[in-house]
Amino acid sequence: MGFRILGWRFMLLVLMMYIIFALTSDDSTGTVDEQLSLPEWVRQNEAVLRSEYKQRAAAAHAVCEQKGVYGNYDRHAARHQPAINYNDWLALKRINWEFVYHAPKQKLLYCKIPKSGSSTWVYNLLKLAGLPEDDLETDVGLHKLLRDYYPRLTRIKKHQVQHSVKLLVVRHPLDRILSAYRDKLENYQRDLTYRNGYYHRLY
């Protein structure tokens, strides 16, 4: 029982939890055995990992169900009780293809959330697409360049989604705000270099 029986979606969670466990363990609680490989660690912790994965999926499903995302929007009910507003409901119903990048050959589906490691994943996806190393030395224009290699999708076949690794990186909202400020506004020279001063002119 090893990597072959585990789905790719599950493996992403496994790897992240393994790293977190390794980083947060100390001498008082016992460290991760240096001789313990990732497949061995998975075998020892598979039940816990699968349980966590199911709880996360169930929580997301419950919230969507509570907000009526799976059905039709009930304007009458929304007027008489606290409910999600129509624009939010519509946004949750639709897939925002603007932030979705699909690599069919590698069977990878990535949803890009700004200021949550997106630059790193843009770099990785461009490298995966075969962009020369010289063009990856700077991150100037890489985000725009990504669409040249991964065109915007308006529709994708269901089986492609089902059999693709789905990747979404999240970050605490306040960390994202601080990161955006530091990246876009704190240093004028950086904004000038990377975006021709766009954000300083705008704000």
Short mmCIF file of all heavy atoms in Angstrom, two decimals, residues 134-156:
data_model
loop_
_atom_site.label_atom_id
_atom_site.label_comp_id
_atom_site.label_asym_id
_atom_site.label_seq_id
_atom_site.Cartn_x
_atom_site.Cartn_y
_atom_site.Cartn_z
N ASP A 134 16.48 31.01 -18.92
CA ASP A 134 16.89 32.42 -19.00
C ASP A 134 15.69 33.36 -18.87
O ASP A 134 15.79 34.45 -18.32
CB ASP A 134 17.61 32.72 -20.31
CG ASP A 134 18.98 32.03 -20.38
OD1 ASP A 134 19.47 31.59 -19.31
OD2 ASP A 134 19.54 31.93 -21.48
N ASP A 135 14.55 32.93 -19.40
CA ASP A 135 13.34 33.76 -19.34
C ASP A 135 12.68 33.73 -17.98
O ASP A 135 11.77 34.52 -17.70
CB ASP A 135 12.32 33.30 -20.40
CG ASP A 135 12.84 33.51 -21.81
OD1 ASP A 135 13.72 34.36 -22.00
OD2 ASP A 135 12.37 32.81 -22.72
N LEU A 136 13.11 32.81 -17.12
CA LEU A 136 12.52 32.67 -15.78
C LEU A 136 13.36 33.33 -14.70
O LEU A 136 13.02 33.25 -13.52
CB LEU A 136 12.35 31.19 -15.45
CG LEU A 136 11.31 30.43 -16.27
CD1 LEU A 136 11.43 28.93 -16.06
CD2 LEU A 136 9.91 30.88 -15.92
N GLU A 137 14.46 33.98 -15.08
CA GLU A 137 15.36 34.57 -14.08
C GLU A 137 14.74 35.75 -13.36
O GLU A 137 15.10 36.08 -12.25
CB GLU A 137 16.68 34.98 -14.74
CG GLU A 137 17.54 33.78 -15.13
CD GLU A 137 18.85 34.19 -15.77
OE1 GLU A 137 19.06 35.41 -15.98
OE2 GLU A 137 19.66 33.30 -16.06
N THR A 138 13.79 36.43 -14.01
CA THR A 138 13.09 37.54 -13.38
C THR A 138 11.60 37.27 -13.44
O THR A 138 11.13 36.57 -14.34
CB THR A 138 13.40 38.87 -14.09
OG1 THR A 138 12.58 39.90 -13.53
CG2 THR A 138 13.12 38.79 -15.58
N ASP A 139 10.84 37.80 -12.46
CA ASP A 139 9.40 37.57 -12.49
C ASP A 139 8.64 38.69 -13.20
O ASP A 139 7.42 38.77 -13.12
CB ASP A 139 8.84 37.34 -11.08
CG ASP A 139 8.97 38.56 -10.18
OD1 ASP A 139 9.63 39.52 -10.59
OD2 ASP A 139 8.43 38.53 -9.07
N VAL A 140 9.37 39.57 -13.91
CA VAL A 140 8.71 40.64 -14.66
C VAL A 140 7.89 40.03 -15.79
O VAL A 140 8.42 39.35 -16.67
CB VAL A 140 9.75 41.63 -15.23
CG1 VAL A 140 9.05 42.70 -16.07
CG2 VAL A 140 10.54 42.28 -14.12
N GLY A 141 6.59 40.26 -15.75
CA GLY A 141 5.71 39.81 -16.83
C GLY A 141 5.37 38.33 -16.85
O GLY A 141 4.69 37.87 -17.76
N LEU A 142 5.84 37.57 -15.88
CA LEU A 142 5.59 36.13 -15.90
C LEU A 142 4.11 35.80 -15.74
O LEU A 142 3.62 34.86 -16.35
CB LEU A 142 6.40 35.42 -14.81
CG LEU A 142 7.91 35.32 -15.02
CD1 LEU A 142 8.53 34.42 -13.97
CD2 LEU A 142 8.25 34.80 -16.41
N HIS A 143 3.40 36.58 -14.93
CA HIS A 143 1.97 36.30 -14.72
C HIS A 143 1.18 36.46 -16.03
O HIS A 143 0.30 35.66 -16.33
CB HIS A 143 1.40 37.21 -13.63
CG HIS A 143 1.83 36.81 -12.25
ND1 HIS A 143 1.06 36.03 -11.43
CD2 HIS A 143 2.97 37.09 -11.55
CE1 HIS A 143 1.70 35.83 -10.27
NE2 HIS A 143 2.85 36.47 -10.33
N LYS A 144 1.51 37.50 -16.80
CA LYS A 144 0.84 37.70 -18.08
C LYS A 144 1.26 36.63 -19.08
O LYS A 144 0.46 36.16 -19.89
CB LYS A 144 1.16 39.09 -18.64
CG LYS A 144 0.47 40.22 -17.89
CD LYS A 144 0.78 41.55 -18.54
CE LYS A 144 0.08 42.68 -17.79
NZ LYS A 144 0.39 44.01 -18.38
N LEU A 145 2.51 36.23 -19.01
CA LEU A 145 3.06 35.24 -19.93
C LEU A 145 2.40 33.87 -19.74
O LEU A 145 2.32 33.08 -20.68
CB LEU A 145 4.57 35.13 -19.72
CG LEU A 145 5.38 34.33 -20.74
CD1 LEU A 145 5.24 34.95 -22.12
CD2 LEU A 145 6.84 34.31 -20.32
N LEU A 146 1.92 33.60 -18.55
CA LEU A 146 1.33 32.30 -18.24
C LEU A 146 0.18 31.95 -19.18
O LEU A 146 0.01 30.80 -19.57
CB LEU A 146 0.86 32.29 -16.78
CG LEU A 146 0.43 30.94 -16.20
CD1 LEU A 146 1.59 29.96 -16.18
CD2 LEU A 146 -0.13 31.11 -14.80
N ARG A 147 -0.62 32.96 -19.56
CA ARG A 147 -1.76 32.71 -20.44
C ARG A 147 -1.34 32.29 -21.85
O ARG A 147 -2.11 31.67 -22.58
CB ARG A 147 -2.67 33.94 -20.51
CG ARG A 147 -3.69 34.00 -19.40
CD ARG A 147 -4.68 32.87 -19.50
NE ARG A 147 -5.61 32.84 -18.38
CZ ARG A 147 -6.05 31.74 -17.81
NH1 ARG A 147 -5.65 30.57 -18.23
NH2 ARG A 147 -6.89 31.79 -16.81
N ASP A 148 -0.13 32.65 -22.26
CA ASP A 148 0.36 32.23 -23.58
C ASP A 148 0.54 30.72 -23.63
O ASP A 148 0.42 30.11 -24.69
CB ASP A 148 1.69 32.92 -23.90
CG ASP A 148 1.54 34.42 -24.07
OD1 ASP A 148 0.38 34.87 -24.30
OD2 ASP A 148 2.55 35.13 -23.99
N TYR A 149 0.85 30.12 -22.49
CA TYR A 149 1.10 28.69 -22.42
C TYR A 149 -0.11 27.91 -21.91
O TYR A 149 -0.24 26.71 -22.19
CB TYR A 149 2.31 28.41 -21.51
CG TYR A 149 3.61 28.90 -22.11
CD1 TYR A 149 4.04 30.20 -21.92
CD2 TYR A 149 4.38 28.05 -22.90
CE1 TYR A 149 5.21 30.66 -22.48
CE2 TYR A 149 5.57 28.50 -23.46
CZ TYR A 149 5.98 29.80 -23.26
OH TYR A 149 7.15 30.25 -23.82
N TYR A 150 -0.96 28.59 -21.16
CA TYR A 150 -2.17 27.95 -20.63
C TYR A 150 -3.36 28.85 -20.94
O TYR A 150 -3.76 29.67 -20.12
CB TYR A 150 -2.04 27.74 -19.11
CG TYR A 150 -0.86 26.87 -18.74
CD1 TYR A 150 0.36 27.44 -18.38
CD2 TYR A 150 -0.97 25.48 -18.75
CE1 TYR A 150 1.44 26.65 -18.06
CE2 TYR A 150 0.12 24.69 -18.41
CZ TYR A 150 1.33 25.28 -18.07
OH TYR A 150 2.40 24.49 -17.74
N PRO A 151 -3.94 28.71 -22.16
CA PRO A 151 -5.04 29.60 -22.58
C PRO A 151 -6.23 29.52 -21.64
O PRO A 151 -6.47 28.50 -21.00
CB PRO A 151 -5.41 29.05 -23.97
CG PRO A 151 -4.21 28.28 -24.42
CD PRO A 151 -3.58 27.74 -23.18
N ARG A 152 -6.96 30.63 -21.60
CA ARG A 152 -8.15 30.71 -20.75
C ARG A 152 -9.19 29.71 -21.21
O ARG A 152 -9.46 29.57 -22.41
CB ARG A 152 -8.74 32.12 -20.80
CG ARG A 152 -9.89 32.36 -19.86
CD ARG A 152 -10.35 33.82 -19.95
NE ARG A 152 -11.42 34.09 -19.02
CZ ARG A 152 -12.71 33.87 -19.27
NH1 ARG A 152 -13.07 33.35 -20.44
NH2 ARG A 152 -13.62 34.16 -18.38
N LEU A 153 -9.78 28.98 -20.27
CA LEU A 153 -10.78 27.97 -20.58
C LEU A 153 -12.17 28.50 -20.30
O LEU A 153 -12.41 29.13 -19.28
CB LEU A 153 -10.55 26.71 -19.74
CG LEU A 153 -9.20 26.02 -19.92
CD1 LEU A 153 -9.02 24.95 -18.86
CD2 LEU A 153 -9.08 25.41 -21.30
N THR A 154 -13.08 28.24 -21.20
CA THR A 154 -14.48 28.58 -20.95
C THR A 154 -15.27 27.32 -20.66
O THR A 154 -16.31 27.35 -20.05
CB THR A 154 -15.10 29.29 -22.18
OG1 THR A 154 -14.88 28.48 -23.34
CG2 THR A 154 -14.46 30.66 -22.39
N ARG A 155 -14.76 26.19 -21.11
CA ARG A 155 -15.41 24.91 -20.85
C ARG A 155 -14.35 23.82 -20.85
O ARG A 155 -13.39 23.88 -21.59
CB ARG A 155 -16.46 24.62 -21.93
CG ARG A 155 -17.16 23.28 -21.73
CD ARG A 155 -18.19 23.05 -22.81
NE ARG A 155 -19.32 23.98 -22.68
CZ ARG A 155 -20.35 23.98 -23.49
NH1 ARG A 155 -20.40 23.15 -24.50
NH2 ARG A 155 -21.34 24.84 -23.30
N ILE A 156 -14.52 22.86 -20.00
CA ILE A 156 -13.58 21.76 -19.95
C ILE A 156 -14.36 20.47 -19.74
O ILE A 156 -15.36 20.46 -19.02
CB ILE A 156 -12.54 21.97 -18.82
CG1 ILE A 156 -11.44 20.94 -18.90
CG2 ILE A 156 -13.18 21.97 -17.47
CD1 ILE A 156 -10.26 21.27 -18.01
#
